[in-house]
């Protein structure tokens, strides 16, 4: 079995001490990284859970509405169920883009500094 991943690096990285971890955790740069991550991830998570629970509640308590035919054999329940899959994939795609553009560069800068690269 072959992979496209490069072989592990042979260079040794300096292992940070507990004090260095604590110092970075208390830094403004790390605080900003955590704030930007939380301000993106938490509302998105709450929104998706609310959307999912709405679907479950409608399925349990609004059977007539969910059984409403839209066209052919497609009803509201099927359309909303497929929308659940669509929103899951869209959220994952959106998160990957935001993380690559916003979170990963900041985290990599912190990591390289802690390992003695900068």
């Amino acid at each position: 079995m072959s992979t496209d991943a490069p072989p592990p690096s042979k260079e040794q990285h300096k292992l940070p001490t507990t004090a260095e971890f604590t110092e970075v955790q208390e830094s403004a740069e790390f605080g900003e990284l955590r704030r930007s991550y939380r301000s993106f991830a938490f509302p998105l998570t709450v929104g998706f859970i609310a959307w999912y629970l709405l679907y479950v509640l409608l399925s349990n308590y609004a059977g007539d509405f969910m059984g409403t035919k839209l066209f052919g054999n497609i009803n509201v329940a099927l359309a909303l169920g497929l929308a659940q899959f669509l929103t899951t994939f869209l959220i994952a795609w959106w998160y990957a883009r935001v993380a690559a553009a916003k979170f990963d560069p900041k985290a990599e800068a912190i990591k390289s500094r802690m390992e003695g690269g900068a």
Side-chain angles (χ1 to χ4, degrees):
M1 178 164 91
S2 79
T3 63
D4 293 332
S9 175
K10 298 283 185 201
E11 71 182 67
Q12 295 286 9
H13 294 286
K14 175 185 88 73
L15 294 176
T17 65
T18 303
E20 289 171 324
F21 274 112
T22 303
E23 181 182 327
V24 167
Q25 186 179 9
E26 293 170 353
S27 71
E29 183 182 22
F30 186 75
E32 173 56 32
L33 176 60
R34 285 177 46 194
R35 255 187 311 283
S36 64
Y37 171 77
R38 287 177 177 173
S39 69
F40 178 79
F42 286 178
L44 204 56
T45 302
V46 169
F48 183 77
I49 289 173
W51 158 229
Y52 175 73
L53 289 176
L54 174 67
Y55 176 72
V56 171
L57 290 172
L58 286 173
S59 295
N60 282 323
Y61 299 110
D64 291 339
F65 169 70
M66 294 296 268
T68 304
K69 290 206 184 240
L70 298 175
F71 53 90
N73 286 329
I74 307 299
N75 61 16
V76 172
L78 180 61
L80 292 179
L82 292 174
Q84 289 284 318
F85 285 102
L86 178 64
T87 54
T88 299
F89 289 114
L90 287 174
I91 288 170
W93 171 79
W94 188 21
Y95 175 80
R97 287 182 48 100
V98 170
K102 220 172 154 184
F103 309 139
D104 293 349
K106 291 178 185 178
E108 186 60 38
I110 293 170
K111 178 184 172 213
S112 66
R113 214 172 21 261
M114 286 190 75
E115 291 178 344

